[in-house]
Amino acid sequence: MAPEQTTEETPTRIPTHIAMIMDGNGRWAAARNLPRLAGHQAGTENLRRVITACVEFGIQYLTIYAFSTENWGRPDDEVQGLMHIVADVIERELDELHRQGVQLRHIGRLEHLDEDLRNKVLHAVELTRDNHRLVLNVAFNYGGRDEIVCAVRQLMKAGYQADEVNEQTISQYLFTADSPDPDLIIRTSGEMRISNFLIWQAAYSEWYFTPTYWPDFDKEELRKALLAFGSRDRRFGRLSNCAQESHAG
Ligand code: FPP
């Protein structure tokens, strides 16, 4: 059987941390003659289902790309619509997410957001800070390059000397300092690029691409992604265990 062909099996190798680029909302809507925001609304409803599926599969960290530093360049009504959707979701879903044991974290910059939205995000983070079933990092007003610039600035402000800076110190100053690097990154909708998402943390992540648009990426699709992940040989730049043994022997 081809390595990534699937059966009804249950995934056994579960990644600790999955990151998702939830792409294809606009095309999902266009295919139904709906406005783009209807696609984002459907994508948001799907996100709720995917969070529950992640909890059921025992995933500990989920990072989602909700709004990038480049998304400000979209038409104003789409940007405002997305801000509205996020504020609305926090209002409607926070209690249930809290009950499910989800810890919400924000990665990115809060300072340019509308004050009311910023306060909602801060409240959600504070309310859920002691939950441990699933850590949900929401990348909102996030850019990977911007994150590295912020980290370097913080390091310099903290007085680090050049020879004190290493990979670990940089990681500790990223927005994701308290999360392990993602084991698996999923991008929906058939696009195959990184789009400024977790560019430091993705150094050894496995990638999974699917043509499915985000609003249709359901638990079954997630199961297939997990099976594909389980079949990968993660070498982190070294040799696989078998090859290593025969090399040594
Ligand atoms: C990419 O699809 C999707 C986005 C830019 C926004 C994703 C946001 C959500 C699903 C909203 C929910 C988030 C939270 C935190 C509640 P696209 O618009 O680029 O689709 P296209 O490539 O088909 O045009």
Side-chain angles (χ1 to χ4, degrees), residues 40-101:
H40 293 313
Q41 198 66 55
T44 304
E45 283 154 26
N46 190 49
L47 174 59
R48 193 68 198 80
R49 296 189 286 269
V50 168
I51 293 170
T52 301
C54 284
V55 169
E56 287 167 4
F57 277 120
I59 289 147
Q60 292 171 49
Y61 293 82
L62 171 64
T63 300
I64 52 161
Y65 206 5
F67 192 87
S68 76
T69 46
E70 289 71 35
N71 287 153
W72 293 107
R74 293 191 176 202
D76 201 46
D77 61 338
E78 182 167 346
V79 171
Q80 290 316 317
L82 278 166
M83 298 292 153
H84 221 84
I85 286 176
V86 172
D88 190 52
V89 163
I90 297 176
E91 203 135 287
R92 274 188 298 113
E93 299 286 349
L94 183 59
D95 286 347
E96 180 56 21
L97 287 168
H98 186 37
R99 198 196 60 75
Q100 266 188 309

Side-chain angles (χ1 to χ4, degrees), residues 18-22 184-188 207-208 210 217 222 225:
I18 300 188
M20 294 187 183
I21 302 182
M22 310 179 287
L184 173 65
I185 305 181
I186 296 173
R187 183 167 189 153
T188 56
W207 280 85
Y208 180 85
T210 169
F217 184 86
L222 178 59

